[in-house]
Amino acid sequence: QRRVAILLSGGGSNMVALARSMTGDHPARPVLVLSNDPNAGGLTKARDLGLPTAAIDHRPFGRDRTGFEEALLAAMAPHAPDLVCLAGFMRILTPRFVGAWAGRMLNIHPSLLPLYPGLHTHARALANGDAEHGCTVHEVTEELDHGPLLGQARVPVLPGDTPDTLAARVLGQEHRLYPAVLRRYAAGDRTPVRLP
Ligand code: GAR
């Protein structure tokens, strides 16, 4: 079984979906939930699920991204993860960290990449008048929100949508897509997942 560390910064609903999916004959299991925010709601949810947690507050490190990342790696090491899933982890990682996990780190992004890398994806899709929107799981490479696509899920944009209503619709698909991709990926299959 592949050992998975899940990194998050916020509420952790994707972490919950991933952790709950890793049961039975699943080729992976969660070994650590790690946050850059000691107060992240996702840490509480992880503890409720009985998962080991750790927090490395990025703020005391200031601009010292390398120092922050060394601390992340040190927190991860005792749990010996094989794979890293970024699940709403809102810190940009340096090429050094990304390189250390090349081919072993996934991210979920709330847009149909290559559309809308970066922030405010739902507002940008609405402003552009898009008829559909969605989410993407990809392998993490040095360039932010790029890297080989491992799966996408689409949702319609509906009349009257706001960034919040659209985000909620996308999030529902994120919870289906990320577990589906991880199951394949952990088994060594990188064929992209298409949902619905
Ligand atoms: C998710 O929508 C995820 O795609 C997004 O943050 C949210 C986290 O929600 N990630 C990014 O924007 C990454 N740049 P969650 O904490 O409930 O899983």
Side-chain angles (χ1 to χ4, degrees):
Q1 270 190 328
R2 316 256 82 193
R3 301 170 60 83
V4 179
I6 302 171
L7 273 58
L8 56 76
S9 303
S13 69
N14 276 291
M15 177 280 296
V16 171
L18 287 172
R20 287 210 179 120
S21 75
M22 289 185 253
T23 57
D25 65 350
H26 200 286
R29 66 187 173 97
V31 297
L32 176 66
V33 174
L34 177 58
S35 180
N36 64 298
D37 179 354
N39 297 314
L43 289 175
T44 310
K45 291 195 180 96
R47 287 185 209 109
D48 289 347
L49 289 167
L51 298 175
T53 62
I56 304 294
D57 191 343
H58 65 279
R59 287 168 297 188
F61 292 94
R63 290 166 171 235
D64 179 15
R65 286 190 188 270
T66 303
F68 168 62
E69 291 178 353
E70 288 298 327
L72 287 180
L73 292 172
M76 291 159 71
H79 302 274
D82 304 301
L83 298 174
V84 173
C85 287
L86 305 181
F89 186 70
M90 302 307 279
R91 304 302 301 169
I92 290 173
L93 296 165
T94 69
R96 187 154 172 259
F97 189 96
V98 171
W101 289 97
R104 300 186 294 157
M105 181 156 60
L106 310 184
N107 180 46
I108 187 153
H109 183 76
S111 78
L112 295 172
L113 291 174
L115 294 174
Y116 314 125
L119 298 176
H120 311 300
T121 56
H122 311 298
R124 288 155 71 196
L126 286 174
N128 199 46
D130 294 352
E132 62 174 11
H133 186 45
C135 51
T136 301
V137 176
H138 64 96
E139 233 173 64
V140 178
T141 56
E142 285 189 19
E143 199 181 347
L144 182 70
D145 297 330
H146 284 69
L149 303 190
L150 297 169
Q152 289 189 314
R154 287 158 197 279
V155 303
V157 177
L158 300 178
D161 262 338
T162 65
D164 283 350
T165 61
L166 187 53
R169 193 173 309 122
V170 171
L171 192 62
Q173 292 304 305
E174 293 185 41
H175 299 161
R176 300 178 61 222
L177 179 67
Y178 211 170
V181 171
L182 177 61
R183 182 179 276 273
R184 269 193 197 182
Y185 194 83
D189 179 356
R190 293 175 187 204
T191 319
V193 172
R194 296 251 157 229
L195 292 179

